[in-house]
Amino acid sequence: MLIIGAGPTGLFAVFEAGLLKLKCHLIDALPQPGGQCSEIYPKKPIYDIPGFPEVLAGDLVNNLMEQIKPFEPGFTLGERAETIEKLEDGSFVVITSRGTKHNAPVVVIAGGLGSFEPRKPPITNIANYEDKGVAYIIREPEFYRGKKVVIAGGGDSALDWSIFLSDIAEEVTLVHRRNDFRGALDSVEKVSELSKIGKINLVTEAEVVGLQGEDHLESVVIRHKGEASDEEIKETDYFIPLFGLSPKLGPIANWGLEIEKNAIKVDNSYDYQTNIPGIYAIGDVNTYRGKLKLILCGFHEAAIMCQSAYQRIFPDKKYVMKYTTVSGVNGFDGSKKEAKREVVKSIN
Ligand SMILES: Cc1cc2nc3c(=O)[nH]c(=O)nc-3n(C[C@H](O)[C@H](O)[C@H](O)COP(=O)(O)OP(=O)(O)OC[C@H]3O[C@@H](n4cnc5c(N)ncnc54)[C@H](O)[C@@H]3O)c2cc1C
């Protein structure tokens, strides 16, 4: 199976496919696997993964990578799937942004939010400071230890990261256009508490409108609501606008798939297949009545999809589902040979 998207859903699909002895190859536009978990919030704890009362998003990805190791999936990272073509034998050829061609009887789109781009504030010279003090994603909070940070935004990311960095950074300033925030109420309350004790410098009804500095960002210009002349210059090492991601399906939107509200419509009464037989869509990228964009749901969809994909690839074979407690996790030929060698070694 060719899986487009190596987020948690795509990774877990490799495991479910592996149990059915289906070999997988994953393509992802990002340079590392893990999707949103790795790219947006690797150090944030997740609380709704069954069996894990709390797990960091980055650790969940590491565990998924460990779990699929026996099935030896192939990875093409840092390349975006651009085009798809159906061949006469019913299989598909997918070509990436770097021209790599992949051929498989089944294509599984686990593309999440699509090729996501951060929403950038309309500050004319912002591009000059990208990676020189301006970041749109916090990959490693420790990077900001002892530094001055200005965060902008009114949603969960801006609130949560302000709270988190208030223990790490020398100074955290949160700038938001309005007095009320869009994020979770308890995060709003926490920010307000931290502001009262001076751990977060909260600036509302204001916007960052300018950036200054020679080779690296040195200060931001904050404009307060009302008079255009009501501006202050705030010294800072980093400016992190967290205005969310603009979800774009990217090239997948032109593949002839039925799209609704920027997501791919699938048959959830059966197997998460799209309107094109042989192309499935699982995880955040799909939509159906009652859809929940949760990791848990992507895992479930992956398991159901694999059963249908197996029947499509091997129409004459009957598969009887076995519990992993009974079947174990047998890899492909390579790992089986290794296992045999181990046995021989231990007998000798
Ligand atoms: C801040 C935050 C907190 C969250 N907290 C939780 C939580 O507590 N619990 C929970 O269940 N969920 C949470 N979520 C949601 C969760 O992260 C998503 O449901 C999950 O990541 C979806 O997984 P996915 O594999 O379907 O898609 P994604 O994680 O989005 O991965 C999709 C991958 O597909 C790739 N891709 C897309 N198009 C292409 C293309 N054309 N070619 C190549 N690659 C492509 C992308 O680069 C990406 O890596 C949170 C999300 C955010 C942003």
Side-chain angles (χ1 to χ4, degrees):
M1 298 200 309
L2 183 62
I3 303 176
I4 298 167
T9 305
L11 294 178
F12 192 65
V14 174
F15 179 81
E16 286 295 323
L19 294 179
L20 306 180
K21 305 260 183 280
L22 297 176
K23 180 105 180 154
C24 296
H25 190 92
L26 298 112
I27 305 177
D28 203 297
L30 295 173
Q32 78 282 326
Q36 294 171 53
C37 292
S38 303
E39 186 66 14
I40 308 178
Y41 62 109
K43 301 282 173 171
K44 276 184 122 181
I46 307 177
Y47 301 99
D48 56 352
I49 303 298
F52 288 89
E54 180 179 337
V55 59
L56 291 183
D59 289 345
L60 176 69
V61 172
N62 291 340
N63 287 348
L64 284 165
M65 290 295 284
E66 187 62 34
Q67 196 170 19
I68 63 176
K69 231 186 208 169
F71 303 117
E72 300 171 357
F75 282 94
T76 297
L77 297 175
E79 296 185 28
R80 194 166 77 159
E82 294 287 335
T83 60
I84 193 164
E85 189 194 340
K86 194 166 191 170
L87 303 183
E88 268 178 20
D89 65 359
S91 71
F92 298 91
V93 172
V94 171
I95 304 183
T96 71
S97 45
R98 287 205 177 161
T100 318
K101 280 188 185 175
H102 301 274
N103 176 227
V106 158
V107 171
V108 180
I109 302 173
L113 303 174
S115 315
F116 45 84
E117 285 283 314
R119 286 197 192 97
K120 301 179 183 180
I123 302 172
T124 43
N125 60 348
I126 196 160
N128 301 345
Y129 294 100
E130 286 170 1
D131 296 328
K132 292 178 191 159
V134 169
Y136 304 104
I137 284 166
I138 296 175
R139 290 201 174 86
E140 179 48 78
E142 276 302 316
F143 185 72
Y144 301 98
R145 183 166 291 280
K147 300 285 193 306
K148 290 182 180 159
V149 179
V150 173
I151 292 177
D156 280 320
S157 277
L159 290 164
D160 292 353
W161 279 119
S162 298
I163 297 167
F164 199 90
L165 289 182
S166 68
D167 274 337
I168 294 175
E170 181 196 323
E171 183 187 277
V172 174
T173 302
L174 174 60
V175 182
H176 180 42
R177 271 185 300 168
R178 283 183 277 277
N179 268 324
D180 49 331
F181 286 84
R182 289 188 317 279
L185 193 59
D186 54 342
S187 305
V188 178
E189 283 169 2
K190 183 87 186 153
V191 165
S192 166
E193 277 166 30
L194 290 170
S195 143
K196 278 182 197 141
I197 58 168
K199 287 197 77 179
I200 292 179
N201 179 20
L202 187 58
V203 185
T204 55
E205 300 203 305
E207 265 178 275
V208 172
V209 293
L211 306 174
Q212 300 173 337
E214 286 285 314
D215 299 327
H216 192 276
L217 183 70
E218 290 167 20
S219 58
V220 296
V221 181
I222 299 175
R223 180 178 297 159
H224 296 271
K225 203 174 167 185
E227 294 290 308
S229 57
D230 189 4
E231 292 183 347
E232 70 170 294
I233 293 177
K234 172 102 201 131
E235 271 185 32
T236 190
D237 300 305
Y238 292 96
F239 172 49
I240 311 172
L242 296 174
F243 296 157
L245 303 164
S246 53
K248 281 194 194 103
L249 260 183
I252 292 169
N254 307 319
W255 288 6
L257 299 160
E258 225 179 308
I259 309 281
E260 190 179 275
K261 290 188 193 148
N262 219 19
I264 302 169
K265 275 182 90 174
V266 289
D267 177 6
N268 75 314
S269 67
Y270 177 39
D271 57 1
Y272 304 100
Q273 205 158 176
T274 66
N275 58 311
I276 302 180
I279 304 185
Y280 298 79
I282 55 172
D284 274 16
V285 81
N286 75 14
T287 185
Y288 51 84
R289 190 164 175 239
K291 167 74 183 177
L292 284 177
K293 294 199 181 211
L294 287 176
I295 295 166
L296 165 80
C297 299
F299 288 171
H300 162 81
E301 292 164 10
I304 304 281
M305 172 280 296
C306 282
Q307 301 291 324
S308 167
Y310 181 88
Q311 287 307 321
R312 188 177 168 82
I313 297 167
F314 302 113
D316 302 328
K317 281 194 192 172
K318 185 156 168 51
Y319 175 75
V320 182
M321 197 205 79
K322 289 189 192 120
Y323 292 130
T324 55
T325 43
V326 176
S327 65
V329 180
N330 289 318
F332 287 91
D333 291 339
S335 52
K336 269 197 234 145
K337 271 181 209 149
E338 274 307 313
K340 265 190 200 153
R341 249 180 257 138
E342 278 302 316
V343 172
V344 172
K345 251 194 248 158
S346 56
I347 290 169
N348 290 342

